[in-house]
Amino acid sequence: MALDGFTHRTLEVNGIKIHIAEAGDGSAGTILFLHGFMELWCSWHQQLASLSRRGYRCLAPDLRGYGGSSAPASPSSYSAFHLVGDVVGLIDALSLPQVFVVGQGWGALLAWHLCTFRPERVRALVAMSVALMPRNPAVRPLDGFRRIYGEGYYLVRMQEPGHMEAEFASMNTKFIFKRLLTTRDTGATSLSKEWWGSPEEEIALPPWLPEEYIDHLAAKFDETGFTGAMNFYRCLDLNWELMAPWTAAKVAVPTKFVAGETAMAHKNKAAREYILNGGLKGDVPGLEEVAVVAGGGHYLHLEKAEEVTEHIYDFIKKF
C-alpha cells in the first residue's frame, strides 16, 4: 500500500486548519474527494494515484475533526453549514471556481449539502454509499432512528459526549478498525457490545484491506481520539433545524450515485426502492446514472478500488 507520492499541506480556511493531500496537474480538471466516518484522506489513495495519472488534480482533505485538520471542541461546530463552509473555503483558498466532487458515506452527505447550498461550485458529483436524505419536516432524525432501531442504536447512544468515546477507549484501536471495515452488519445492534464481539478475536483481513492501512488509521486516531468523528452525528438534529429553509430543495448538479450491492444503502428495501424506483431522481433532477457494484459493501472505494475509479472517470470525463 503506497501512501507516499502525494503532496501535503495545511490551509487556514473558515477559521480552522484543514490538511489536504493532493496529486496531479489538473489539465483535465480538479476532483475533490470527501471521506466518510472514521476515515481519513488516505481512504482515497488508490483513486488519487490513478486519476491524477489521467490528468486530474486530485485533492483529499481530512475533514474537520479528523487527522491533521483542526478539531473544534464544541459538538455544534460540526453542522452542515460548518462543513460546507470548510469545503467552499478550501476551494476558494486554492482559487478553484468549480470542482468535481466525489463523496463516500458522511462525505457523500457533505457533498449533497454542498450541491444544495452552492451548486455553482460543483461541476459534477459522484456520491457513494449514502443517497440524498430529504428533510422530513415532521420528524427529527434522532426520533426517527429511535422509532426504527430503539434507544440502543449507535447514533442515539453517540449523542452524549464522551459516552461512546469511553466504549472505544476500552478496545484496541486496530481491532476497532478491523471490525468496522470488514463488517457487513450495519443494523440495529451496530457498535454495541454484542456487535463488537470479543476484542481478543483475530479478525482476518480481506485482500483489499492491508494491515499497514489499519496501522496507519489506528496510529492517527490514537493521536486525535474519536470525538471529532462522532461530533458529526451529534449535529443530526441541529442540521434538521438549520435546514428548514431547504425543505424539498432539489439537487440539479449532474450526479452519479454508486452503491455496493451488500451495503445498507442498497440492501435496505426502502432505500433500494427510493434509489431505483424514481424517488432519488425526483429529489435529484441532475441524477444521470445509478450504479450498483456487485459484491460491494459500504467501503466501496477500498473494496472495489479499480471498479470505483472507473465509475468516477467514466462519469466525470463527460464534462
Side-chain angles (χ1 to χ4, degrees), residues 25-228:
D25 61 14
S27 55
T30 298
I31 311 171
L32 178 66
F33 292 87
L34 303 173
H35 68 76
F37 177 58
M38 300 274 286
E39 297 185 85
L40 297 167
W41 73 268
C42 57
S43 71
W44 297 109
H45 69 277
Q46 294 175 86
Q47 287 75 33
L48 297 184
S50 179
L51 291 165
S52 64
R53 289 194 294 267
R54 302 187 200 191
Y56 292 95
R57 183 183 184 186
C58 297
L59 308 171
D62 287 333
L63 301 183
R64 71 164 55 205
Y66 283 89
S69 295
S70 298
S74 170
S76 63
S77 294
Y78 293 78
S79 76
F81 286 175
H82 290 88
L83 297 171
V84 172
D86 294 346
V87 171
V88 173
L90 178 62
I91 59 180
D92 281 348
L94 297 171
S95 302
L96 297 167
Q98 206 174 47
V99 292
F100 295 109
V101 175
V102 178
Q104 187 275 339
W106 257 103
L109 281 178
L110 170 52
W112 291 119
H113 285 138
L114 174 65
C115 291
T116 301
F117 299 156
R118 298 299 303 274
E120 80 284 1
R121 305 306 297 270
V122 183
R123 199 163 162 191
L125 166 67
V126 178
M128 300 193 320
S129 303
V130 175
L132 182 74
M133 300 170 71
R135 182 181 184 273
N136 181 347
V139 183
R140 288 176 174 270
L142 290 175
D143 287 342
F145 286 119
R146 284 188 183 97
R147 288 177 198 172
I148 298 170
Y149 298 115
E151 288 290 338
Y153 193 47
Y154 77 99
L155 293 185
V156 178
R157 291 189 298 113
M158 203 179 279
Q159 295 309 304
E160 168 129 11
H163 178 80
M164 193 167 283
E165 288 93 330
E167 293 182 14
F168 275 38
S170 70
M171 296 180 283
N172 179 279
T173 309
K174 290 182 186 179
F175 169 80
I176 290 172
F177 282 107
K178 286 180 180 181
R179 175 68 79 210
L180 277 174
L181 292 170
T182 59
T183 187
R184 285 291 195 268
D185 177 11
T186 53
T189 63
S190 292
L191 277 63
S192 66
K193 188 175 180 181
E194 299 72 32
W195 183 88
W196 287 111
S198 169
E200 308 305 316
E201 180 188 346
E202 282 295 323
I203 299 173
L205 297 181
W208 55 265
L209 188 59
E211 192 81 41
E212 55 263 45
Y213 181 75
I214 296 286
D215 292 346
H216 182 81
L217 284 182
K220 284 294 180 185
F221 279 87
D222 278 340
E223 259 178 58
T224 64
F226 296 95
T227 298

